[in-house]
Every structure is written in C-alpha cells, then in structure tokens.
Amino acid sequence: IIVEFFKLSSGINAEYGVYQCIGLVAVSRRFTLDLPNRLNLGFDFETWLYFHFICIIPFALNLFKYMGDQRSKAMKKLSKFAAMSDINRQEYELYKIRQKKEKSK
C-alpha cells in the first residue's frame, strides 16, 4: 500500500503520504533495525520519518514561494497579452468604422 501511494504521488503529496505512514511504521516496526545484531547498529525508521517530515517543512515553504513567484510572472505576461488583444480589437473596430464612413461617402 505504501509503495503504491508513492508511485502515484509526488512533491508535497508524497510528504503527506510520509505523514500518513508514520503510524503504520510505528506499529509494524518495518525497516527498523534493533540492537543487538551483527553490525552493532540500530536504526529506527519511525524516528527518521519524523526527522524527514520536519526537515521538509522549510523546503516546502520555499517551494511554494517559488511557485507563487512563477505564477505572478505568468499572470503579468498574460495580462500584457490580454491588454494587447484589447488594443487589437479596438483597432479593428476603428478600421471597420472607417470602412463604413468611406463606403457612405
């Protein structure tokens, strides 16, 4: 279930999946290496997930700021394009009015 969720999600959605999986990992003790063992090494995957989740928060805020800046740049370009299309429409209407005046003479 965990692997399938991560295949379908990316970015902040994947971090939400990490948050959802912490409880499951705590109960199952999956990917946790307890002492004593041959390597004399202990690793608690639940603690690592908490650490990972806490470290992601500043990066996520930076990412959202970057995406907001990119969106504002795109909206400025779009507004300039919309203004140009309004100018082109007004010029076309003036052209039609001039044509009607010339035909009426």
Side-chain angles (χ1 to χ4, degrees):
I1 295 172
I2 297 171
V3 175
E4 292 300 321
F5 180 81
F6 286 115
K7 284 182 184 177
L8 297 175
S9 63
S10 63
I12 297 302
N13 290 334
E15 302 311 321
Y16 181 71
V18 168
Y19 175 72
Q20 292 291 322
C21 295
I22 288 175
L24 179 65
V25 169
V27 171
S28 68
R29 305 289 296 162
R30 191 171 189 181
F31 305 116
T32 298
L33 184 62
D34 293 324
L35 288 173
N37 55 34
R38 283 194 287 177
L39 298 175
N40 200 21
L41 175 75
F43 177 74
D44 188 9
F45 190 58
E46 178 187 5
T47 305
W48 186 86
L49 286 177
Y50 278 121
F51 177 73
H52 169 79
F53 191 68
I54 290 171
C55 289
I56 287 298
I57 293 171
F59 296 113
L61 296 175
N62 191 22
L63 175 66
F64 283 133
K65 182 186 176 306
Y66 175 75
M67 289 189 301
D69 293 344
Q70 292 298 316
R71 184 179 183 275
S72 65
K73 285 180 188 178
M75 294 305 273
K76 284 179 185 176
K77 287 181 183 178
L78 185 61
S79 67
K80 287 179 184 177
F81 179 72
M84 289 301 293
S85 66
D86 288 342
I87 291 170
N88 289 339
R89 183 180 45 80
Q90 290 171 355
E91 287 178 356
Y92 181 72
E93 289 173 0
L94 288 173
Y95 174 73
K96 288 291 194 179
I97 292 169
R98 287 185 193 132
Q99 280 186 341
K100 286 181 183 178
K101 285 184 180 179
E102 288 177 4
K103 286 182 181 179
S104 65
K105 289 182 182 180

